[in-house]
């Protein structure tokens, strides 16, 4: 499976270049990984319009969800994220959430504590 088969939803997407979610979108664009930015911020990242998480946008054929929102903001979106039926959820540093891991794993979704940027740059994505 090539990187272009690993459609990724960025939860916590932002047009702010200082944020890691923005850096992830940049890397996805340069590595030709299809991505869907989802968050509360309005705007665009690397040609993709940020989808409003409050509308729980439907996304088909999701391979990976990468988390960029902290645990205290995850509860209300947990069921939505699981409904996307990703093969895995990457919990970037600062987003670790044991309850979410349990719920995702019960739904057959792999959970990984890792940095998406490191995974991409070292060929582990």
């Amino acid at each position: 499976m090539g990187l272009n088969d690993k459609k990724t939803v960025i939860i916590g997407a932002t047009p702010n270049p200082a944020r890691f979610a923005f850096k992830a979108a940049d890397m996805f664009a340069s590595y030709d990984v299809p991505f869907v930015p989802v968050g509360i911020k309005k705007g665009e990242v690397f040609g993709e319009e940020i989808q409003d998480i409050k509308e729980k946008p439907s996304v088909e054929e999701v391979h990976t969800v990468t988390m960029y929102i902290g645990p205290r903001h995850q509860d209300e979106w947990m069921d939505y994220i699981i409904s996307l039926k990703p093969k895995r959820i990457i919990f970037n540093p600062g987003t670790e959430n044991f309850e979410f891991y349990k719920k995702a794993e019960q739904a057959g979704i792999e959970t990984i504590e890792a940095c998406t940027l490191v995974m991409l740059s070292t060929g582990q994505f």
Side-chain angles (χ1 to χ4, degrees):
M1 173 173 279
L3 290 177
N4 57 355
D5 296 323
K6 295 185 175 178
K7 184 193 286 183
T8 300
V9 174
I10 302 171
I11 300 291
T14 174
N16 179 346
R19 307 295 299 190
F20 283 108
F22 181 90
K23 293 175 185 0
D26 185 8
M27 282 188 88
F28 288 139
S30 64
Y31 280 78
D32 289 327
V33 177
F35 68 94
V36 178
V38 176
I40 58 169
K41 304 281 192 239
K42 300 257 185 271
E44 183 180 289
V45 285
F46 302 93
E48 298 293 331
E49 190 69 30
I50 297 173
Q51 306 291 310
D52 186 349
I53 196 167
K54 294 181 202 115
E55 294 176 10
K56 299 181 179 169
S58 174
V59 184
E60 298 297 316
E61 298 176 25
V62 175
H63 182 277
T64 301
V65 167
T66 184
M67 298 293 296
Y68 287 100
I69 57 173
R72 73 177 196 273
H73 298 295
Q74 292 172 7
D75 278 359
E76 65 182 302
W77 311 119
M78 235 183 266
D79 290 335
Y80 163 66
I81 292 165
I82 288 170
S83 80
L84 296 174
K85 297 183 172 62
K87 293 182 179 19
R88 65 182 178 181
I89 300 172
I90 299 171
F91 290 86
N92 289 282
T95 67
E96 300 89 348
N97 182 339
F98 183 71
E99 290 303 312
F100 199 164
Y101 300 165
K102 282 198 315 198
K103 202 165 187 178
E105 287 165 2
Q106 287 167 349
I109 300 166
E110 178 185 12
T111 59
I112 301 170
E113 283 183 13
C115 174
T116 298
L117 302 176
V118 171
M119 289 178 73
L120 277 165
S121 63
T122 59
Q124 299 175 56
F125 190 80

